[in-house]
Each structure stands twice: as C-alpha cells, then as structure tokens.
Amino acid sequence: ASRLRLSGLCFLLQILNILLFAVFVRYSPESSSSLCSPQLNCSRRNQDSGFQHPRFRDGHLQVLLGFGLLVAFLGRYGPGSVVISILIVSFAIQWAVLIQGFLYFFHNGKIYMGAPSMVSADFCTAAVLISTGAVLGRVNPVQMLLLALLEVILCALNEYILLSLMGVSDSGRSLTVHTFGAYFGLMVSRILYQPHMDKRRREDQQDTGHQPDVFAVVGTIYLWIFWPSFTSATTVHDNAEPWAVLNTYFSLVASTVATFILSLVLYEESTPRMVQIQDATLAGAAVMGMAGEMLVTPFGALITGFLAGLISLLGFRFFTPVLHFRLKIQDTCGVHNVHGIPGILGALLGTLLTLLATADAYGDRLELVFPLVAQGSRTAAHQAFLQLCALPLTLLLATLGGCLTGAVLKIKALRSPPDKGNPENTVLLEV
C-alpha cells in the first residue's frame, strides 16, 4: 500500500506539472527585462544567459550534491535519504518554476522562463531540502513530497514579499533559504512529535561504520567548491561578484578552523569528525547569505565565520538537547545549528552593514546592492529597518507554514504502518 501510494502521488503530481507547463510556461526571449514584473528589481533576475548558466550549473550541483549528501550521515537512513532527496529535487524544481513564475515572470498570461527562473527554483529547492533534514527518518516519501508541495508555495510567497514588495537585499538567501527552511522544518518536526517512537528512532538512527563519513567527505568538498557561486548567483554584474565570493571563502575557512578549536574541547575525540567539519562549513556559508555582497571587509568575514563555527558546535553540544527534551523538537540533521542560527546572525549582520552603507564607502556599487538608497527613494536607516523587519516576518511565515504542513502530514492515512522496523526507509530501499 505504501509503495502504491507513493507511485500514485508521483504520477498525479507529474501530470499536474506537465499540464501547467503546457498551458503557461514558455521560453524567455533574450530581451527578458521587458517581461519582468515591474515590482521586482529586474537587474537582479534577468541577466544574459552567458552570465547566468555557469552559476546555474554551480548552484544546481550545490543543491543536488551538497545538500543531498548532507542528509546521508545516518548509518541506516543514509542511502534512502539520498534517494528521497533526488525525488524531492526533481519535483520541487518543477513546482518552484511554476509558483515563482506566477509571481515574477508572468506576462500576458504566460510564464517566461530562462536561467534566472531556474536559479530561483534551485534556491527554493534548497530551502525544502533544509526542512527535510529536520524530519529525516520520521516521515515517509509520501509525506516528504507533500511537504515539498506546500513549502515551495510558502517559500516563494516569503521571497516575493521580502525581495519584491519590501525591497530587501538578501542575495545569498540568509532569510529566504536558510532561516525559512530551518524553522519551517523544525515546526513540522514539533507537530509530528511522538514520544513513544523517539527511543526506537534514536536507536535506529545511530551511525554504523564509516559510510556516513564517506558521504560527508564528498558533500563537504562540494560545499567548499560551489558555495561561493551559490552565494553570488544573484549578484548584479561581474563587478559585484568578487565581494560575495571572497567574503564567503573567508567565512568558510574561519568557521572550519573554529571546528578544530572547539570540538577538541567539547568532545573526547582526537580529531573532529568529517560531519562536524561539514556542519561548520555550512554555518560559515549561511552566515554570509545576506551580507556577502555588502562591505563586510576580509577581516570582518573571518570574524563572522569564526563565530558562526563556534556557535554551531556549541548549539549541537548544549542547545540540541534542550530542543529535544524541553521543546519536544527532534532535529535529526541539526538544521537549527547549521542553518537557523547562522541565518539569523547573517540577517542581523546584514542589517548592521545596511545601516552603515554610504556612497563614500560603496561608490558605484551602492546602486547595485541598494538601488533604492542610491536613487534617494530610501535612506540607509529606512533600508536597514526593512532588512530587520524581514527577520520576524520570515520566522512568522515559517512557523505558521510549518505548523500547517505538520498538521497535514499528521493525518493518519499518510503515516507508515507502525509495526515495521524502519517504515520510512523500506518504502524505497531494503535496509
């Protein structure tokens, strides 16, 4: 029954996507700036294909391999997690192109898609994969697909409100990907909490052998290679790219060194495990999401990444037990420490840097990073206030959306049979 349910849902969702693509989606002409929604800063999304395709490639590899292998660290659930991640990516990209297309690229009754729309879809898919990390091993593939179906809609809505209506600068998606994805998944996990199942799940999810670390090695390498492109995928023009790339690299190296400093103090192991290095890499990159293209300065990026690495490890050691035993939130992959807290820190850092933004410091870049401030439509203080307001708004939408999605996934008909040893995994793989 579980296999037929998954097969039937995949069939229905794919037919729905095909029909919607047939009716609405068309290739975008080269002069796509004339088709962009007037509410959006078109220069951020509509760039020539030669400029965007390499970044789309890097971003897509980042989503599929970096985030996909992130959920493979559990010994028994690892292979099944990667399989389900590929399924989620395959569906979420199609669905995100449609939902974001109606918001951003809809013109004369059609969605005109190109490289910019695919980059945006990859960002939205990344948020979904982050959320699935919070409920890994607790939901079956059918529930995963329904989570992606609902989260893509809410993620696109949150992004539209922040980037289009409010004019918030969040090129590396500290808020719309990391913060939203983390707290959306945490709220789903809270709603799905089942006390009588937790002890058995903890036993089932223990690492076995060295296979999880092998997955983490590959995932960490891909994170290091492609995350700077991921952070700078929506920056404007070539002369705006180096800041986002350099700031991300400096943050990555500092957060990784922080792991070697603190893990030897908090844990009895002689060297940090690769999974810990992977988490530090993610935290250091997530904290640079909003501030990456701003004037962080190299030493500022080092300080920020170093703090993000320390906070991530401290969160795993001290705050994760509080989440589980006090707040009844089982965070399987630690997305709160890897994406949630660094995303919030990145938003606060971006707000501070926005407040300090001046034409003397930024020069011509001010129009690229903060176009409304450069045009005189807003003051730096006004822009910083909107950047700050975007944080509680994202948390609110993620919390409400996660509660709603959790309530849907908790329907009895969607649950796996309770008498099987690993019901969530055996739907696709024998373990």
Side-chain angles (χ1 to χ4, degrees):
S2 296
R3 294 173 189 271
L4 293 177
R5 192 186 310 156
L6 175 62
S7 178
L9 181 61
C10 289
F11 177 78
L12 291 176
L13 291 178
Q14 188 59 41
I15 292 298
L16 174 63
N17 282 331
I18 290 174
L19 293 176
L20 291 175
F21 267 72
V23 174
F24 293 107
V25 179
R26 299 292 183 270
Y27 291 123
S28 176
E30 292 184 359
S31 57
S32 57
S33 59
S34 62
L35 301 175
C36 184
S37 173
Q39 290 87 0
L40 185 69
N41 179 9
C42 296
S43 61
R44 287 186 175 276
R45 293 184 175 270
N46 296 294
Q47 304 171 30
D48 65 278
S49 58
F51 179 68
Q52 277 286 8
H53 283 312
R55 298 190 179 191
F56 161 67
R57 176 201 62 204
D58 293 348
H60 197 59
L61 283 170
Q62 173 80 320
V63 169
L64 197 59
L65 290 173
F67 284 100
L69 293 177
L70 174 67
V71 299
F73 75 98
L74 296 174
R76 296 187 180 183
Y77 286 80
S81 302
V82 177
V83 171
I84 296 173
S85 294
I86 296 175
L87 172 64
I88 296 301
V89 169
S90 302
F91 167 72
I93 286 180
Q94 300 176 67
W95 189 235
V97 167
L98 288 167
I99 300 301
Q100 292 179 326
F102 286 118
L103 295 174
Y104 294 121
F105 308 104
F106 196 68
H107 183 74
N108 292 334
K110 302 296 179 183
I111 297 173
Y112 291 91
M113 65 159 292
S117 58
M118 292 302 297
V119 172
S120 296
D122 272 336
F123 276 123
C124 193
T125 302
V128 176
L129 291 177
I130 290 171
S131 298
T132 60
V135 296
L136 186 66
R138 308 181 68 198
V139 296
N140 56 45
V142 172
Q143 292 171 309
M144 286 281 199
L145 273 177
L146 293 177
L147 183 149
L149 177 72
L150 297 174
E151 184 172 1
V152 166
I153 297 174
L154 295 169
C155 181
L157 178 62
N158 178 65
E159 180 183 298
Y160 179 73
I161 294 173
L162 266 58
L163 304 186
S164 179
L165 300 184
M166 296 175 62
V168 171
S169 177
D170 188 21
S171 63
R173 304 302 195 263
S174 280
L175 288 175
T176 57
V177 171
H178 296 287
T179 304
F180 183 89
Y183 288 98
F184 185 97
L186 290 174
M187 293 312 301
V188 173
S189 179
R190 176 63 184 88
I191 299 299
L192 296 179
Y193 178 75
Q194 293 178 283
H196 63 281
M197 296 290 289
D198 280 349
K199 181 178 179 180
R200 192 184 74 185
R201 277 173 177 148
R202 286 198 300 271
E203 294 172 354
D204 288 342
Q205 292 171 355
Q206 293 299 316
D207 291 345
T208 57
H210 297 286
Q211 181 180 348
D213 278 340
V214 173
F215 280 125
V217 168
V218 179
T220 303
I221 292 173
Y222 273 98
L223 292 175
W224 267 83
I225 294 173
F226 295 111
W227 200 295
S229 295
F230 188 82
T231 304
S232 63
T234 58
T235 53
V236 191
H237 305 302
D238 288 327
N239 61 345
E241 178 185 356
W243 281 12
V245 172
L246 293 174
N247 290 333
T248 303
Y249 265 121
F250 285 129
S251 183
L252 287 176
V253 297
S255 63
T256 302
V257 173
T259 304
F260 283 85
I261 295 173
L262 197 56
S263 64
L264 301 179
V265 177
L266 297 178
Y267 301 95
E268 297 179 356
E269 300 170 348
S270 58
T271 58
R273 294 184 55 198
M274 183 56 69
V275 172
Q276 296 173 343
I277 299 175
Q278 185 182 44
D279 293 336
T281 302
L282 282 163
V287 78
M288 275 294 118
M290 179 182 289
E293 65 175 347
M294 300 179 188
L295 188 57
V296 182
T297 69
F299 79 89
L302 288 173
I303 294 174
T304 304
F306 184 74
L307 292 176
L310 295 178
I311 292 173
S312 177
L313 273 175
L314 290 172
F316 275 105
R317 185 67 176 85
F318 298 108
F319 196 69
T320 296
V322 175
L323 277 180
H324 180 66
F325 295 106
R326 297 290 180 87
L327 302 180
K328 309 302 181 184
I329 298 175
Q330 185 178 1
D331 184 6
T332 307
C333 290
V335 298
H336 182 259
N337 307 307
V338 175
H339 298 279
I341 294 179
I344 292 176
L345 292 177
L348 296 176
L349 175 63
T351 300
L352 176 61
L353 294 174
T354 303
L355 186 63
L356 301 176
T358 62
D360 293 337
Y362 280 76
D364 295 337
R365 291 179 60 98
L366 185 65
E367 186 175 357
L368 304 177
V369 182
F370 303 111
L372 296 178
V373 175
Q375 297 166 9
S377 303
R378 292 177 183 173
T379 63
H382 185 198
Q383 181 70 36
F385 176 74
L386 291 176
Q387 300 277 133
L388 182 61
C389 290
L391 175 58
L393 179 59
T394 298
L395 293 174
L396 177 63
L397 289 174
T399 301
L400 295 179
C403 290
L404 173 63
T405 303
V408 173
L409 300 187
K410 203 172 183 179
I411 296 175
K412 187 176 181 180
L414 298 177
R415 300 180 195 171
S416 298
D419 57 341
K420 293 185 178 180
N422 291 303
E424 292 81 4
N425 233 19
T426 51
V427 174
L428 286 181
L429 292 178
E430 298 296 333
V431 293

